Each structure stands twice: as structure tokens, then as C-alpha cells.
Amino acid sequence: MDNLETSDRTASEEFEQCYPVNCWWVAAIADEVTSVPISRQLLQKRVALVRNMRGIVALEDCCPHRRAPLSLGRLVDDEIECAYHGFRFNGEGRCTRVPSDANSARHLSVRSYPVEERGPFVWIWMGDPRKADRNLLPNIEIQANANCLRIGGHWLAKCNYMLLFENFMDVTHFPFVHANCRRPDISQQEIVPHLAKSSSQAEVAGNVVIMSLRLPAIAATDLETRSLNLKPGATLEKNSEAWLTLPSCFVQKVNIISAPRPSGPIDRHTLHGLLCVTPISPSSCHVWGETTQDYGAEFAQQWQEDYETGMREDIRIVEAIQPSIEGMMAHGRDVLTKADHVVIVMRKALRKLLQYQ
């Protein structure tokens, strides 16, 4: 029992209202924000996003007149016009026009939110706008050439956002949650000790949780064999570095090396993974994922299908955990093993971040 311990907090204490607001969260993929307004539920608020001539604007998605969503409106002269009675609001949220009463406009406004575009995403600051600092945006810049394969997507998950981040960093679940996958490197249970060792060595630097993963050479999958133009039966070594920038962004770099051959150079390839999660509420969240790899472009559809399957498997298991947090077992405490060190580190780092809110 020396490798077991009990969490110092109950499930409800750990996960209820556990997201900070004075930080950057992903609001959308940059390409989906156009001159046609869209609505997004973020941190228990509804936000209207639109792109005008100056950039992206984020406003409270509720006209103060009769509560109609501004996202149902349209962009007129770089301002959002409410679809109900034509009230207009500029990028700062100030009302500039009331068709039925010209004198009312100066008294009306809606909240505006600071936004920034970085990488493939639109980031939003939902807290005190005076504290918004673009230098606090997570570093997610990935160097990739035009021939790289990009796959990914956007999902909605009915669970607390931290359950997903704990899942992403907890590599010991791979052979069980993804047991039916076509990847022997994560479906073979004999590699669990290697995965557990990596989890137990996680460390924290500020609000960044860092973990390295070293795996022995394992047979390449059929898709990897075809994508990397390997001989049947070839093996691959995979060395991974992962960074979770709390509270919103997970980045992973995987170096893939073909096992030494009798002659010829060793092939080296790189995969970059990016996962961002934004709460909708304490029990639901958005998930955005993107993987960039310098191989396999000719098999893009199959890589995308495998990616989506893995994400659905992860979401399925954490959604099944969520009722235990909300219901009868909410006052229970987790039993944690040595391999859960990364979970302990993450929870403590998040608590510290919340203290400064």
C-alpha cells in the first residue's frame, strides 16, 4: 500500500467551479470567425464573435433592449446590428444607433472581451479586461512546412474540463481505453510499466506541467508502415515531450525514429499535438485538437478517422466519470497510485493558479 495515497480533496471540491477567468481561453478556430456572427458558450457566458475590417470582435451575446442574441444579427458598417430592432454595437460594445429612439443609444452598451489570434485559434480573456496581457498567451507556435499533414477537430464533452486534461497527461490509460485501436504502441499492455514511469516523473514549472515519455522500439502499425514507406515488420522508437500550460492548453512533440537498419540512414520524423479545452460550465466543455506530422499526407483520411476515434474514446470515459463528481459519490476521495503523480501535480498547480484570481 506504500504506492497508494488518498486525495486531500473530495471530488466536488476538486472539480466544482475550478476554472480561472483572468487568463486566455480558446473561443474558436480562427477560420470559423467570419463577417457572419456566431455564438459560443464559454465559462457560463454566451459570446458573439464576428470578424470586421479591424479584426475579431467578441461581445456579450445579448442585446440589452429585449435580450435578443446579437449573434443572430449582421455586420453593418463594421458594427453588429441586432436582428430584432436594429440596435447597433461597435467593437467596444457601445451602442451607436437605435432606429426607434436616437437619444437612447448613448446610454446603452454590452460587455466586450479582449481577443487575440494565435496559431489556429481565437483566444478570449473572460476576466478583468485590465489584466489582459498578450504575453500570457500559451506558446503553441509549431514549425511545419506546407507539405505537413494536419488533422483535428472540435468536440463538445459533457464533463469538467480538468477531467480531459488529466486524461491527456495520464498515459497509463492508453492500453485500456484504446484497447481496440490499430496502434500496437498504445494497445499492448506490456508497455504499461514504461508509461507509469513517465507519469511518475512529471514535474511543474510555474503553471506548466512537463512530462517526458520514452518507449522501447515497437512494431509499426500498418498505417505507419505505409505512411513512412517502411518494410513490413519494421519497428519505431517514439520519444515524447508534453507540456500542459494551465488552465487551457496541452502541447506534445513526438520524435519518431526507425530502428537501426543494416545499412542506410536512420529515418527521423516529428509529430506535434495540440489540445485546447475551454469550459462551457463546471460539467461541460469545448475540445479543440490539431495534430501536425511530416508524414502520411497521402493517407490523410485514415489518419483523421483514427484521430477522431481516439478522441471519442477519451471523451466517452471521462463523461462516464462526471456523474460521480456531481452525484452520490461527490464527497468521496480519489485513491491515487505512484503513476498518478502527474494528476497530483496538475491539481496542485491549478489550485495555486486559482488563488491568484
Side-chain angles (χ1 to χ4, degrees):
M1 295 293 291
D2 290 343
N3 288 335
L4 296 177
E5 63 178 280
T6 302
S7 172
D8 61 350
R9 283 189 164 193
T10 66
S12 60
E13 290 171 336
E14 198 70 67
F15 293 101
E16 185 177 358
Q17 295 287 2
C18 64
Y19 48 79
V21 294
N22 286 316
C23 59
W24 294 101
W25 296 96
V26 171
I29 297 172
D31 291 344
E32 69 178 317
V33 183
T34 68
S35 59
V36 178
I38 63 172
S39 182
R40 188 123 297 164
Q41 293 272 17
L42 306 166
L43 278 64
Q44 297 179 277
K45 298 182 185 298
R46 195 167 63 189
V47 178
L49 297 165
V50 69
R51 188 184 297 271
N52 63 19
M53 295 296 291
R54 297 182 180 181
I56 293 178
V57 171
L59 300 179
E60 177 185 0
D61 192 14
C62 182
C63 180
H65 174 221
R66 298 271 291 279
R67 319 304 290 176
L70 291 177
S71 57
L72 294 180
R74 59 174 183 158
L75 197 65
V76 179
D77 295 333
D78 258 11
E79 299 177 340
I80 294 184
E81 182 181 85
C82 180
Y84 200 8
H85 297 96
F87 287 40
R88 289 188 192 174
F89 299 87
N90 64 18
E92 289 73 45
R94 293 192 300 271
C95 184
T96 63
R97 181 172 185 264
V98 176
S100 59
D101 184 355
N103 294 325
S104 297
R106 68 179 184 272
H107 301 294
L108 300 175
S109 65
V110 294
R111 182 174 177 181
S112 65
Y113 298 94
V115 290
E116 295 283 345
E117 287 189 64
R118 176 169 292 187
F121 301 125
V122 176
W123 298 80
I124 189 168
W125 185 281
M126 302 287 287
D128 185 346
R130 296 169 298 180
K131 296 181 179 181
D133 182 353
R134 65 179 60 185
N135 294 319
L136 298 178
L137 283 162
N139 182 15
I140 61 169
E141 298 299 332
I142 296 175
Q143 300 298 321
N145 60 52
N147 296 322
C148 281
L149 170 63
R150 291 181 180 270
I151 55 178
H154 174 213
W155 294 263
L156 298 178
K158 297 177 182 178
C159 65
N160 183 276
Y161 80 107
M162 280 302 295
L163 287 176
L164 276 166
F165 278 135
E166 291 184 2
N167 169 274
F168 297 153
M169 294 290 280
D170 167 28
V171 292
T172 59
H173 80 273
F174 288 174
F176 307 98
V177 175
H178 307 293
N180 297 320
C181 73
R182 291 173 286 186
R183 293 182 55 189
D185 59 322
I186 64 174
S187 61
Q188 295 181 5
Q189 296 187 17
E190 57 265 29
I191 68 169
V192 170
H194 297 281
L195 299 173
K197 183 178 180 180
S198 296
S199 295
S200 65
Q201 294 176 347
E203 59 185 37
V204 63
N207 67 325
V208 181
V209 180
I210 306 165
M211 186 175 69
S212 299
L213 176 62
R214 301 286 184 268
L215 288 178
I218 296 178
T221 67
D222 175 65
L223 182 56
E224 288 172 332
T225 299
R226 288 182 286 130
S227 298
L228 296 170
N229 196 26
L230 303 173
K231 293 182 179 180
T235 60
L236 298 174
E237 296 179 5
K238 297 182 180 180
N239 301 322
S240 171
E241 302 287 337
W243 304 266
L244 172 59
T245 302
L246 291 168
S248 61
C249 185
F250 173 85
V251 179
Q252 182 181 37
K253 179 181 180 182
V254 182
N255 294 312
I256 301 171
I257 307 170
S258 61
R261 296 180 237 177
S263 62
I266 296 175
D267 288 335
R268 299 176 184 270
H269 296 274
T270 303
L271 177 151
H272 289 94
L274 174 61
L275 287 160
C276 295
V277 182
T278 301
I280 298 172
S281 72
S283 59
S284 60
C285 57
H286 297 277
V287 187
W288 286 274
E290 180 177 287
T291 291
T292 303
Q293 57 191 57
D294 60 4
Y295 59 93
E298 62 272 39
F299 303 105
Q301 182 175 350
Q302 189 169 347
W303 281 108
Q304 178 68 32
E305 290 174 357
D306 283 6
Y307 186 89
E308 292 179 3
T309 297
M311 185 62 72
R312 285 194 297 269
E313 290 171 341
D314 283 330
I315 291 176
R316 175 178 173 270
I317 192 69
V318 294
E319 286 186 338
I321 295 170
Q322 182 64 34
S324 297
I325 296 172
E326 300 173 338
M328 294 175 58
M329 292 174 281
H331 297 293
R333 299 176 187 271
D334 289 347
V335 174
L336 305 170
T337 72
K338 184 178 180 180
D340 293 314
H341 176 67
V342 63
V343 172
I344 298 171
V345 167
M346 288 168 56
R347 291 180 180 181
K348 288 182 178 179
L350 181 61
R351 293 178 207 169
K352 187 175 181 180
L353 183 63
L354 286 167
Q355 288 175 356
Y356 291 100
Q357 289 294 300

